[in-house]
Amino acid sequence: MLNSIFNLSSYHWNPYSVPYYLVGMLTLVEGIFIFVQNRRALVNAAYALSCLVVSLWLTGMGMVFNSSFEATALLWARWYVFLGIIFITPSIYFFSVSWEKALFPGRKTKKDKLVIVNFLCGLGFYFLCLNSESFISGLWHNSWGFYPKAGWAYIIFVAWFYGLMILMLLNFIAIYRREKDLVVRRQAKLMIAAFSIAYLGSLEFLLNYGVSLYLLAFVPVFICITIVGYSVIRYRMMDIETAVHKTVAWVFGNLILIAPFGVIFYFSRSWCHGLSNLTFFIYLSGLLLAFLIFFRAFQPKIDHFFQRRRYDLEAILSRFIDEIIHLKGIGKLSQRIQDTIKETLYPQKVDILICNQAEKKSPFLVWLAKNNKIVYSEFIDIDPGLAQIKEAAKWYFDNTSSVVVIPLVLGDDLLGLINLGKKANLKRYSAVDFHFLNILRNQSAIAISNSLVYENIEEQVRVRTEELVEVQNQLTQAAKLASVGTLAGGVAHEINNPLAAILTNAQMLLASLDDLDADELKDSLELIEEATKRCRVIVKKLMTYARKPMEVSEVVVVDLLEVVEKVNSFLGYQLQQENITIAVKAEEAQYPAVGNHNEFEQVVTNLVLNAKDAIKRVKKSGQVEISLSKNDNWIRLDIKDEGSGIPKDDIPKIFDPFFTTKDVGKGLGLGLSISQSIIEKYKGSIFLKSKEGEGTTFTVNLPLAG
Ligand code: ADP
């Protein structure tokens, strides 16, 4: 009777069997794959066993569908299909228990015994199935083929089957609740979903009890193995690390490239028939050429996308070296190094670390600096050179989640490290890769060292500039105090007159107190009051000027006419005492420029005081002319005097700090240099026209605000 199994005539074509074979085979392949990944792990073996029995059930059902005779179908069902079906639940239960044990090792559990008991029960049912009609009593005849008919004892099997299924689900739920690791919890959730769905396939048995349904058991099983496959790829379930094999996608991608040419060729066949041999040959060559050009342009992109590209490492290195010479700054440099390694070797990650002094003291890093050698985690146990530093190296790789560490050493100094993760396609790093990395790291070390020096210089320049600004601020203040000194003489002069008035009136009052009538008394006192107020105003002005700090940060729109007027009100009287007048010429109402009021005031004061000194040097009296004008973009401020003028030889030195022709104690030689730096700070310019003996005009140009 067994012969009929091997006789081809016992079978016929039945399309219903196809999905059962396909899913059955797929399940088997998944089981074998998972088993091969880690043969020593019980949990992997248990899962593989589950896959094996499920595939027996599904492929067996395929054979039952294909059977032409009842006898053949019955043989397949009893010996093969039910060998699968009966052992499904014990196997999956075994899987759930072994997974639990792998996750929580050392836990005492009686579930092992239950596993054995259930396998024994399974054997009992199988024995019953083979030897008794009570388990399978015959076959149902359906439109799609045969289906095993349940005997009276079958219901006991169903009860056991579902009981065990519930125990298995409870195991997964227990794992989910007990586990703290989020990834494992997610795996457990997926397993609960996967096996709950898979068991829907078992509802086929309802066919025996009057529920007529079309057999679709392969669908839930397919969903289940897909979920498990996903868990393996996404969450390293059962400690399996795998990259989705991209070969299929790569072949497909290339086919898409070739397809258009195939289509063109196919549809031009009939047209080709009419061609002479020569024209056909030309046509074919043209098509081939177009194909080659097209393929050369796009194929590398597909290779790159699927990480299959074999690079010309030499070309990449020479391009890399060319590029990094021009890069300034550690940031850009690191980015370039990272990109080059990523594009070429496809590591999952590339980290570049620049070492600081403290880090350099760690033993592994000291070793790296001394030995100057790339370390690959896979060689730690085999390479005798690494023996003494083994533990530190392992610790380093664990903590940085990397597998390759590339020291960047120059001289004896460890500048930094490059850490590489695993390759995205899980291939190992090859000798060629290390050769490439070695050249890359030498070049990188030089470039990084240069960059560090460069950044250091930049930092120093920044610090020095800050210091200079500070010194300049101090100088500005010094110059101001110096001009206060100059002013003091004038101020004394100014105060002298009101003081004389006060004194005279006070003395007069004292001398003739009794003779004065009320009106005369009032007049004198009013004179004293007025003179005192004048003094107060003068002193106040001087104090404000000397003490006002340089509020450099306050940059606003300043009206230059206002500035000129303020200086005029302040210096006017003083200059008047020395027979010098200030004439302001301005046609417009406003001359707005961006800057700082104090600073502009200081510039105008300096220029006016210099003009005054120049006039006094040659004349008894004179005029300082301040004129303002503007066009669309600029404001022009001229300060003109008819004083001594400046000797030709002195003109180039005039803006130099500490250049002065004034007597010791009278000039510091800072006024013009500070004025120039203030004007240039606000994007303006200052220059002069002078003729010895005739006079000088200083011109300030400032951008018109707004
Ligand atoms: P200081 O006034 O303290 O000497 P400055 O930098 O303001 O410093 O001026 C430098 C020198 O430029 C002056 O000593 C003077 O010789 C010359 N100078 C400046 N302005 C004039 C001017 N309007 N006419 C002639 N000489 C001038």
Side-chain angles (χ1 to χ4, degrees):
M1 208 166 71
L2 265 176
N3 282 351
S4 71
I5 284 184
F6 302 106
N7 195 340
L8 270 184
S9 60
S10 311
Y11 303 101
H12 66 281
W13 161 246
N14 182 352
Y16 294 117
S17 60
V18 177
Y20 275 81
Y21 289 134
L22 282 180
V23 178
M25 294 314 290
L26 217 60
T27 313
L28 188 64
V29 168
E30 184 175 281
I32 292 172
F33 174 76
I34 286 174
F35 177 65
V36 170
Q37 293 298 313
N38 191 351
R39 277 167 235 227
R40 271 169 292 174
L42 193 66
V43 55
N44 294 37
Y47 184 75
L49 180 67
S50 311
C51 287
L52 175 72
V53 290
V54 168
S55 86
L56 287 182
W57 160 44
L58 292 177
T59 49
M61 281 307 289
M63 294 311 287
V64 172
F65 290 151
N66 280 128
S67 300
S68 309
F69 311 112
E70 213 175 307
T72 323
L74 208 55
L75 274 177
W76 276 109
R78 281 215 168 109
W79 287 88
Y80 191 90
V81 175
F82 270 86
L83 177 62
I85 291 180
I86 290 171
F87 286 103
I88 285 177
T89 24
S91 307
I92 298 181
Y93 181 74
F94 173 39
F95 166 62
S96 72
V97 171
S98 49
W99 195 37
E100 196 183 359
K101 276 175 64 173
L103 288 174
F104 311 105
R107 234 165 200 277
K108 285 219 165 71
T109 166
K110 289 190 180 126
K111 287 175 186 165
D112 283 351
K113 286 191 186 118
L114 205 58
V115 170
I116 296 168
V117 168
N118 278 308
F119 272 107
L120 292 176
C121 283
L123 275 177
F125 282 119
Y126 190 49
F127 183 79
L128 197 67
C129 167
L130 292 180
N131 297 302
S132 157
E133 296 273 311
S134 63
F135 201 84
I136 296 176
S137 60
L139 289 167
W140 298 99
H141 294 253
N142 295 299
S143 52
W144 63 80
F146 298 115
Y147 187 79
K149 197 185 253 176
W152 62 266
Y154 187 76
I155 198 74
I156 305 168
F157 164 72
V158 171
W160 169 79
F161 184 92
Y162 281 102
L164 204 50
M165 181 194 96
I166 289 167
L167 284 183
M168 174 275 295
L169 284 178
L170 287 177
N171 269 350
F172 284 125
I173 292 170
I175 290 173
Y176 175 75
R177 293 174 67 176
R178 209 179 300 149
E179 180 60 54
K180 289 195 180 58
D181 184 340
L182 278 181
V183 175
V184 179
R185 278 170 73 98
R186 216 161 283 167
Q187 289 174 1
K189 243 180 3 194
L190 285 170
M191 287 309 103
I192 294 167
F195 289 106
S196 306
I197 294 171
Y199 271 93
L200 291 177
S202 64
L203 290 177
E204 273 188 1
F205 84 96
L206 287 172
L207 210 97
N208 287 308
Y209 302 99
V211 182
S212 85
L213 34 80
Y214 174 63
L215 298 188
L216 287 171
F218 60 89
V219 179
V221 173
F222 180 70
I223 295 174
C224 171
I225 58 169
T226 310
I227 295 177
V228 176
Y230 170 77
S231 312
V232 165
I233 291 166
R234 179 80 176 74
Y235 298 116
R236 296 194 53 192
M237 168 107 181
M238 293 178 247
D239 268 337
I240 294 170
E241 190 169 353
T242 175
V244 188
H245 226 285
K246 298 196 168 175
T247 311
V248 180
W250 175 79
V251 169
F252 198 68
N254 281 314
L255 275 180
I256 290 177
L257 274 191
I258 301 167
F261 292 93
V263 171
I264 295 175
F265 189 70
Y266 182 82
F267 285 106
S268 59
R269 264 178 327 161
S270 52
W271 174 72
C272 286
H273 281 306
L275 297 178
S276 72
N277 280 350
L278 185 67
T279 7
F280 178 67
F281 179 73
I282 293 170
Y283 166 71
L284 209 61
S285 315
L287 201 63
L288 206 69
L289 196 70
F291 171 72
L292 280 179
I293 294 170
F294 186 68
F295 199 71
R296 270 186 78 95
F298 289 100
Q299 211 277 335
K301 291 198 172 58
I302 291 199
D303 275 1
H304 182 62
F305 187 74
F306 291 110
Q307 304 181 354
R308 294 180 68 102
R309 184 154 183 193
R310 294 213 181 286
Y311 272 104
D312 178 353
L313 296 182
E314 298 302 322
I316 289 180
L317 278 175
S318 73
R319 201 185 65 209
F320 172 75
I321 294 165
D322 277 353
E323 277 172 1
I324 57 169
I325 292 171
H326 305 293
L327 290 179
K328 290 215 171 64
I330 290 287
K332 281 187 190 153
L333 196 62
S334 311
Q335 192 60 46
R336 188 67 246 154
I337 299 172
Q338 250 172 347
D339 291 349
T340 307
I341 299 180
K342 266 193 182 154
E343 280 167 21
T344 321
L345 304 182
Y346 306 114
Q348 282 167 349
K349 64 161 198 165
V350 182
D351 292 331
I352 300 187
L353 313 166
I354 303 297
C355 294
N356 63 35
Q357 288 305 327
E359 285 164 350
K360 283 181 198 171
K361 296 210 173 81
S362 110
F364 183 51
L365 300 196
V366 170
W367 185 92
L368 280 175
K370 207 168 118 206
N371 290 272
N372 189 12
K373 145 176 179 181
I374 299 180
V375 180
Y376 188 14
S377 65
E378 297 212 356
F379 294 157
I380 294 180
D381 287 319
I382 346 171
D383 187 347
L386 290 166
Q388 55 190 117
I389 202 74
K390 209 157 131 180
E391 291 312 314
K394 277 186 184 160
W395 186 88
Y396 180 86
F397 285 123
D398 283 349
N399 272 279
T400 52
S401 355
S402 53
V403 295
V404 175
V405 57
I406 306 161
L408 300 170
V409 179
L410 205 69
D412 291 333
D413 198 16
L414 182 66
L415 302 173
L417 298 163
I418 307 177
N419 292 332
L420 304 189
K422 286 183 183 159
K423 282 196 174 191
N425 53 18
L426 294 185
K427 286 189 180 153
R428 293 164 45 116
Y429 286 93
S430 65
V432 178
D433 295 344
F434 286 118
H435 173 68
F436 168 78
L437 288 171
N438 244 327
I439 301 177
L440 181 123
R441 87 184 167 115
N442 290 335
Q443 296 300 330
S444 303
I446 295 169
I448 286 182
S449 160
N450 287 343
S451 258
L452 286 174
V453 171
Y454 172 80
E455 280 189 1
N456 207 359
I457 289 175
E458 280 213 321
E459 175 63 15
Q460 279 178 9
V461 168
R462 198 185 57 76
V463 171
R464 289 285 140 79
T465 313
E466 267 173 17
E467 284 171 6
L468 275 179
V469 169
E470 179 59 23
V471 168
Q472 184 149 27
N473 283 342
Q474 287 169 3
L475 280 179
T476 314
Q477 193 60 21
K480 209 160 133 185
L481 290 175
S483 59
V484 170
T486 321
L487 283 172
V491 171
H493 218 81
E494 250 184 279
I495 290 181
N496 227 7
N497 290 344
L499 277 182
I502 295 167
L503 191 66
T504 321
N505 278 286
Q507 284 171 339
M508 204 175 76
L509 281 176
L510 277 176
S512 46
L513 201 57
D514 299 336
D515 308 335
L516 292 174
D517 62 24
D519 279 349
E520 283 171 326
L521 196 67
K522 196 174 166 236
D523 281 351
S524 280
L525 283 174
E526 272 174 3
L527 276 171
I528 291 178
E529 190 194 9
E530 197 189 314
T532 317
K533 276 186 182 163
R534 248 213 91 64
C535 287
R536 197 174 64 181
V537 169
I538 295 164
V539 171
K540 220 178 184 177
K541 276 186 188 171
L542 185 68
M543 282 167 66
T544 356
Y545 177 74
R547 284 203 200 131
K548 210 185 277 174
M550 287 282 110
E551 292 151 349
V552 184
S553 58
E554 196 188 281
V555 175
V556 285
V557 174
V558 177
D559 179 14
L560 287 185
L561 183 56
E562 210 177 279
V563 171
V564 168
E565 242 131 44
K566 197 143 180 230
V567 174
N568 187 13
S569 81
F570 176 52
L571 292 178
Y573 184 77
Q574 188 199 334
L575 265 63
Q576 219 178 332
Q577 301 298 312
E578 303 185 42
N579 292 324
I580 291 166
T581 50
I582 298 178
V584 179
K585 284 188 189 167
E587 282 173 4
E588 309 278 337
Q590 277 188 331
Y591 295 86
V594 172
N596 178 283
H597 205 287
N598 280 331
E599 289 181 307
F600 285 156
E601 224 174 80
Q602 194 178 2
V603 172
V604 180
T605 309
N606 282 337
L607 296 178
V608 171
L609 286 179
N610 277 345
K612 179 206 76 174
D613 289 340
I615 296 171
K616 290 234 51 182
R617 220 175 284 161
V618 289
K619 291 180 186 167
K620 286 236 150 58
S621 66
Q623 191 183 51
V624 180
E625 201 181 294
I626 307 178
S627 44
L628 278 160
S629 59
K630 65 177 176 184
N631 64 18
D632 288 349
N633 301 315
W634 295 94
I635 301 175
R636 180 182 168 135
L637 168 75
D638 287 304
I639 294 176
K640 185 176 163 200
D641 67 73
E642 286 171 352
S644 61
I646 305 165
K648 241 186 177 167
D649 292 348
D650 287 351
I651 292 182
K653 298 181 260 176
I654 212 94
F655 289 103
D656 290 352
F658 304 109
F659 174 79
T660 181
T661 56
K662 293 175 190 167
D663 294 342
V664 180
K666 283 204 168 162
L668 271 180
L670 286 173
L672 286 179
S673 86
I674 287 170
S675 299
Q676 186 185 41
S677 69
I678 290 174
I679 296 301
E680 284 177 353
K681 183 159 81 178
Y682 297 113
K683 312 267 182 294
S685 61
I686 179 167
F687 57 90
L688 67 111
K689 240 190 200 165
S690 183
K691 211 164 185 196
E692 209 177 347
E694 283 182 20
T696 310
T697 305
F698 276 89
T699 303
V700 171
N701 281 312
L702 277 166
L704 186 72

